[in-house]
Amino acid sequence: MSQSVCGRFAPTPSGRMHAGNVLCALLAWLSARSQGGRMVLRIEDLDPLRCPPENAALLEDDLHWLGLDWDEGGSAGGPHAPYYQSQCTDFYEAALQKLRNKGLLYPCFCSRAQLHVASAPHLSDGQVIYNGRCRGLTAEQIRRLSQQRPAALRLRVPPETIRFTDGCTGTYAENLAEACGDFLVRRSDGIFAYQLAVVVDDARMEVTEVVRGRDLLASTPRQLYLYRLLGCRPPRYCHIPLLLAPDGRRLSKRDHDLDLGRLRQTLPDARPLIGALAFLCGLQPAPEPVCAQDLLPHFRWSAVRKTSIRIPQAWYQVPPNRWAVRTEELYAENPAL
């Protein structure tokens, strides 16, 4: 494979990475490196209040400890700088102008309460299916409402079904109008929406492959629509299974679920963690300690599990350096393995 392959890891530094974030970083790195490609580290700190700079520095230290390197991005910079979304306002504004010139943007004055009263939550991410409440406002209505509260910006979507083939999960299709409705590209507080920012950044950084969690699968049709409108070529997507706590909930930074701060206190190096994650996602037959580099010759997407992965209770009860000797318990608690 040529050097044209470009993967990326794009974490939000709102807290310490947990095991699910590590799995995403590992699979993104393995996929790109196994194809002879390069890696980009992008810091998705769109909301600076939730993402202090010290978190980004700690994240880089954790990646070095894990043995997951990158070719450009983060504090090292590179040819596609800036790599911190908080510094990319001009790029996002330029994209908004392109959409505005197409007549596809309109101000939205709906409050969160109004949105949730108007429509049921979106099944995948808790967002609402927007009903177009502000889509037909007159100039006078916009002027009056602007005096009461700042407006968000929404993008008009067609009643079109967008399909794509995911490298991990297979074919996925979604009708934009039915699944999400007109979606936000800039919030009322001026912060740019994830959907717009991630498309602009992946395009300008020449990313060809995006590896991320299954929870973001439903956002991909919206992003493919934006790629088309902005005249950019979309990357290949691979949405990986989510790691779940023993009780079935998603891992959370807020709850400090298997976060690297705690894990690094009990581990001599990253190999037990890398080996355990490789075992759970299907890349090796037992949770034996291994470094990321050792997994490269055997990496293939067909081996990666397609369904969510429940972490064994044992991982919450014994030190990580003992995970490898609990193989029988791991199989017992994960019969699907």
Side-chain angles (χ1 to χ4, degrees):
M1 188 68 66
S2 72
Q3 286 290 331
S4 62
V5 173
C6 178
R8 50 86 154 168
F9 181 51
T12 299
S14 56
R16 200 70 179 265
M17 284 197 296
H18 55 57
N21 305 134
V22 175
L23 178 61
C24 183
L26 174 63
L27 292 178
W29 186 89
L30 287 171
S31 184
R33 294 305 195 204
S34 67
Q35 300 175 79
R38 60 188 177 93
M39 275 296 293
V40 170
L41 174 62
R42 184 170 71 241
I43 306 300
E44 298 200 334
D45 57 346
L46 281 170
D47 189 340
L49 294 179
R50 294 177 56 243
C51 304
E54 57 267 25
N55 282 2
L58 190 57
L59 189 149
E60 290 196 23
D61 183 68
D62 283 339
L63 289 174
H64 285 304
W65 180 79
L66 290 163
L68 303 177
D69 62 347
W70 58 95
D71 301 290
E72 58 179 280
S75 60
H80 300 94
Y83 295 92
Y84 295 79
Q85 288 189 329
S86 59
Q87 302 172 9
C88 297
T89 299
D90 290 346
F91 293 103
Y92 307 147
E93 287 286 4
L96 279 187
Q97 191 56 49
K98 287 184 179 181
L99 299 174
R100 191 177 287 112
N101 292 343
K102 294 176 182 288
L104 294 174
L105 299 184
Y106 64 90
C108 175
F109 300 92
C110 295
S111 66
R112 185 180 298 271
Q114 289 172 324
L115 292 174
H116 282 275
V117 167
S119 182
H122 192 290
L123 293 178
S124 67
D125 55 14
Q127 296 186 34
V128 299
I129 303 172
Y130 188 63
N131 65 356
R133 176 189 178 103
C134 293
R135 193 175 196 180
L137 293 177
T138 65
E140 174 58 26
Q141 289 174 317
I142 291 174
R143 184 194 66 77
R144 178 166 45 83
L145 288 170
S146 296
Q147 296 175 344
Q148 301 173 20
R149 60 180 297 151
L153 281 179
R154 288 189 181 273
L155 176 69
R156 300 175 188 270
V157 302
E160 174 187 352
T161 297
I162 292 184
R163 294 179 174 84
F164 72 98
T165 300
D166 187 85
C168 186
T169 64
T171 302
Y172 183 81
E174 185 175 280
N175 184 286
L176 292 175
E178 296 175 1
C180 64
D182 300 343
F183 59 88
L184 290 178
V185 288
R186 191 177 67 193
R187 296 178 355 192
S188 60
D189 60 3
I191 294 177
F192 290 92
Y194 166 79
Q195 308 295 352
L196 178 73
V198 72
V199 167
V200 171
D201 288 332
D202 281 339
R204 71 181 182 83
M205 294 176 187
E206 301 179 358
V207 170
T208 64
E209 182 177 84
V210 169
V211 177
R212 58 190 183 188
R214 189 73 48 83
D215 54 326
L216 292 171
L217 179 64
S219 71
T220 307
R222 279 169 271 179
Q223 292 167 24
L224 291 174
Y225 179 53
L226 278 168
Y227 271 107
R228 184 203 308 170
L229 294 177
L230 296 174
C232 301
R233 182 176 180 178
R236 173 180 184 247
Y237 289 96
C238 298
H239 289 86
I240 66 173
L242 298 178
L243 284 190
L244 306 177
D247 60 6
R249 61 182 173 78
R250 286 169 49 184
L251 299 188
S252 166
K253 291 178 182 177
R254 182 177 57 250
D255 296 332
H256 304 288
D257 283 309
L258 294 178
D259 72 76
L260 275 186
R262 297 184 182 184
L263 294 177
R264 288 183 63 173
Q265 290 176 2
T266 56
L267 284 171
D269 55 53
R271 291 180 301 162
L273 176 58
I274 297 293
L277 292 175
F279 162 69
L280 282 186
C281 75
L283 294 182
Q284 63 174 7
E288 299 296 337
V290 66
C291 66
Q293 193 76 27
D294 293 336
L295 294 171
L296 278 174
H298 314 290
F299 177 78
R300 62 190 189 283
W301 278 109
S302 60
V304 177
R305 289 186 60 176
K306 305 297 185 289
T307 57
S308 296
I309 303 167
R310 187 170 298 198
I311 292 176
Q313 184 66 43
W315 287 21
Y316 282 75
Q317 297 171 334
V318 301
N321 58 1
R322 291 188 58 209
W323 287 350
V325 301
R326 299 293 296 273
T327 304
E328 292 184 5
E329 288 94 334
L330 298 181
Y331 274 100
E333 295 183 33
N334 287 268
L337 293 175

